[in-house]
Amino acid sequence: MLKTLPRLQDWDRRLARVTEKHLRLAGEWGGSDCLLTAMDAVEAVTGQDPAQKVRGTYSTEQGAAKLLRRRKAEDVEQMLAKLFPVLPSAFMAMRGDLAVVERDGVVSAGYVCEYGVAVKTETGLAFVPVTSIRSAYQVGDR
């Protein structure tokens, strides 16, 4: 698990820039998929990129699955639980924290923002209500 880092003083503005960037950035395995988009949010909040070493090392869904297996995680939910403190209740998640949601039968990682949970899609971002959070993870100190 990563140690809990302090939130940057301007984390909220930095997080808003991540949302703006990903609104118009199409989903791409290994470049702009759900996990890497969530890691962009972590970098905005803390200044640290936990995915720095894996960016660009895969380009398919199968490659992403292989990356998770090498890290002893079956899915993004297990991967996030290895990296960040799990919040005991999804209702404790605040802007800048990470979340896992299920929409249309697909489990995705995302981040909590002012519009709900931002999750990557093929064409940009979708916003899912926070009531859809399956699990949540603390990013930065409170």
Side-chain angles (χ1 to χ4, degrees), residues 5 10 31 41 48 50-51 68 92 96 100 109 111 113 119 122 126 134 139:
L5 300 167
D10 63 342
Q48 301 292 317
L68 291 173
M92 295 177 71
V100 170
Y111 62 93
C113 69
V119 294
E122 290 180 5
R134 222 167 108 139
V139 175

Side-chain angles (χ1 to χ4, degrees), residues 74-81 86-93 98-112 117 119 128-137:
E74 291 180 28
D75 54 30
V76 292
E77 197 162 25
Q78 284 185 6
M79 188 75 250
L80 292 179
V86 178
L87 293 170
S89 167
F91 296 110
M92 295 177 71
L98 301 183
V100 170
V101 298
E102 185 174 349
R103 32 184 298 277
D104 303 326
V106 176
V107 175
S108 299
Y111 62 93
V112 180
V117 180
V119 294
V128 178
V130 293
T131 54
S132 300
I133 294 176
R134 222 167 108 139
S135 56
Y137 310 87

Side-chain angles (χ1 to χ4, degrees), residues 14-103:
R14 293 167 53 99
L15 186 64
R17 286 193 294 270
V18 168
T19 301
E20 290 169 12
K21 170 187 168 184
H22 283 283
L23 273 172
R24 52 188 181 274
L25 184 63
E28 174 190 3
W29 290 107
S32 180
D33 54 43
C34 75
L35 185 60
L36 295 179
T37 299
M39 294 303 106
D40 285 351
V42 171
E43 183 176 16
V45 172
T46 67
Q48 301 292 317
D49 179 8
Q52 183 178 8
K53 292 180 182 179
V54 299
R55 289 183 186 275
T57 62
Y58 60 94
S59 59
T60 63
E61 185 175 5
Q62 294 79 15
K66 185 176 178 182
L67 175 81
L68 291 173
R69 283 193 306 272
R70 281 196 309 254
R71 284 162 174 71
K72 299 185 182 354
E74 291 180 28
D75 54 30
V76 292
E77 197 162 25
Q78 284 185 6
M79 188 75 250
L80 292 179
K82 287 177 173 285
L83 295 173
F84 302 97
V86 178
L87 293 170
S89 167
F91 296 110
M92 295 177 71
M94 59 185 272
R95 276 189 315 131
D97 287 336
L98 301 183
V100 170
V101 298
E102 185 174 349
R103 32 184 298 277

